[in-house]
């Protein structure tokens, strides 16, 4: 038993070190994307690096540079579609160009199916400003959009065979479920940073879901803690980089909520006090 436990301990360490090296190489391969025309944001580059790592872990084979560029175009297409549904600035011509590129790469059907399902989700998206139950509905909506996007990218990266399988994998596969939790932490951070824009455009987010902003901050804090809780997932060494990334982003999400709540108090606290004093003055 001691010898077997010793072997299992060393195998776990080997898997952990091996996964770290795989992730480092994926990061190095993706560095040129930071200065390329596509994808448009560093967060999408990190997503491409993550899928390159997952492909290597699963199949012992890296994505080709053509596939990496295809994923970049696919992520930009998804962002363009989301911006259009949110009535944000987007270029229809650019979306058509990207869709043409995806057609040349042989994944136009996946992109079109993604667009169809995203349209269905956006038509049923909940309104901001409600109670605890409304916050829950907004959270489910945000999760559904993230799972759809990750399923689309997983299908294009040959991680899963179909879009439905890719979406299911975000529930049951440890690696994609960890990636889903990571993206949700990023969503919370993004919602804190974009609160003013979202509230003026009446977009559903973690912070606009509740009518009371202090309540929204508290519910978002609990949501961040829930996404960080990965105790139900197998603790294998091959997903160690994703677990590390989830831990760091979970800390970042809680820190952003803390700072966002502090900023709101400093901004609106004095104004509220002045209005109360003014109301009491005869």
């Amino acid at each position: 038993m001691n010898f077997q436990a010793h072997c299992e301990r060393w195998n776990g360490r080997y898997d952990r070190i091996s996964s770290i090296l795989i992730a480092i190489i994926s990061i190095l391969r993706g560095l040129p994307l930071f200065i390329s025309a596509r994808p448009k944001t560093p967060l999408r580059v990190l997503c491409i690096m993550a899928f390159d790592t997952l492909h290597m872990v699963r199949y012992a084979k890296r994505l080709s540079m053509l596939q990496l560029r295809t994923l970049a175009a696919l992520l930009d297409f998804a962002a363009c579609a989301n911006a259009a549904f949110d009535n944000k600035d987007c270029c229809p011509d650019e979306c058509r160009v990207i869709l043409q590129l995806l057609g040349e790469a042989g994944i136009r059907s996946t992109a079109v199916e993604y667009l169809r399902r995203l349209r269905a989700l956006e038509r049923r998206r909940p309104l901001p400003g409600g109670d605890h139950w409304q916050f829950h509905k907004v959270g489910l909506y945000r999760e559904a959009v993230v799972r759809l996007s990750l399923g689309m990218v997983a299908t294009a990266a040959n991680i899963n065979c179909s879009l439905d399988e890719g979406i299911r994998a975000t529930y049951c596969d440890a690696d994609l479920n960890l990636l889903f939790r990571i993206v949700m932490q990023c969503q919370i951070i993004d919602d804190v940073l974009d609160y003013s824009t979202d509230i003026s455009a009446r977009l559903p987010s973690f912070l606009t879901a509740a009518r009371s902003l202090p309540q929204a901050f508290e519910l978002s804090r609990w949501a961040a803690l829930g996404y960080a809780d990965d105790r139900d997932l197998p603790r294998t060494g091959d997903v160690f980089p994703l677990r590390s990334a989830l831990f760091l982003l979970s800390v970042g999400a809680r820190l952003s909520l803390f700072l966002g709540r502090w900023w709101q108090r400093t901004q609106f606290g004095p104004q509220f006090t002045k209005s109360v004093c003014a109301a009491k003055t005869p």
Side-chain angles (χ1 to χ4, degrees), residues 70-250:
T70 300
L71 292 186
L74 193 62
L75 289 170
D76 281 352
F77 174 78
C80 186
N82 277 276
F85 285 117
D86 290 343
N87 294 319
K88 295 181 179 179
D89 292 336
C90 66
C91 180
D93 292 336
E94 182 182 2
C95 290
R96 284 191 288 269
V97 170
I98 297 176
L99 193 58
Q100 183 178 353
L101 291 174
L102 297 177
E104 294 172 357
I107 58 172
R108 178 187 173 89
S109 60
T110 300
V112 171
E113 178 63 14
Y114 164 82
L115 194 59
R116 184 188 69 81
R117 298 193 186 199
L118 180 63
R119 183 181 292 110
L121 286 173
E122 295 296 344
R123 285 175 177 172
R124 302 192 306 269
R125 72 180 179 187
L127 296 174
D131 53 12
H132 185 280
W133 175 241
Q134 188 71 5
F135 181 90
H136 177 68
K137 290 196 292 185
V138 169
L140 291 178
Y141 153 74
R142 300 297 296 277
E143 289 183 4
V145 173
V146 170
R147 292 186 191 278
L148 175 61
S149 300
L150 288 177
M152 174 188 63
V153 179
T155 303
N158 297 321
I159 301 293
N160 295 96
C161 297
S162 67
L163 184 57
D164 286 325
E165 289 180 3
I167 294 173
R168 284 195 298 270
T170 62
Y171 290 96
C172 55
D173 287 7
D175 45 15
L176 281 174
N177 185 266
L178 281 169
L179 191 55
F180 162 76
R181 293 167 184 260
I182 289 171
V183 176
M184 292 308 300
Q185 299 286 7
C186 293
Q187 291 288 311
I188 292 176
I189 296 173
D190 186 65
D191 287 352
V192 174
L193 297 176
D194 291 345
Y195 171 74
S196 298
T197 303
D198 292 339
I199 196 68
S200 61
R202 291 194 54 78
L203 295 175
S205 73
F206 282 99
L207 288 188
T208 64
R211 188 175 296 107
S212 167
L213 185 56
Q215 182 187 31
F217 270 111
E218 182 63 18
L219 292 173
S220 298
R221 186 180 71 86
W222 281 107
L225 291 173
Y227 295 129
D229 187 5
D230 59 353
R231 289 175 295 180
D232 57 328
L233 298 176
R235 308 191 70 84
T236 56
D238 55 353
V239 295
F240 177 76
L242 291 178
R243 285 188 181 277
S244 301
L246 176 61
F247 172 77
L248 292 175
L249 282 167
S250 299

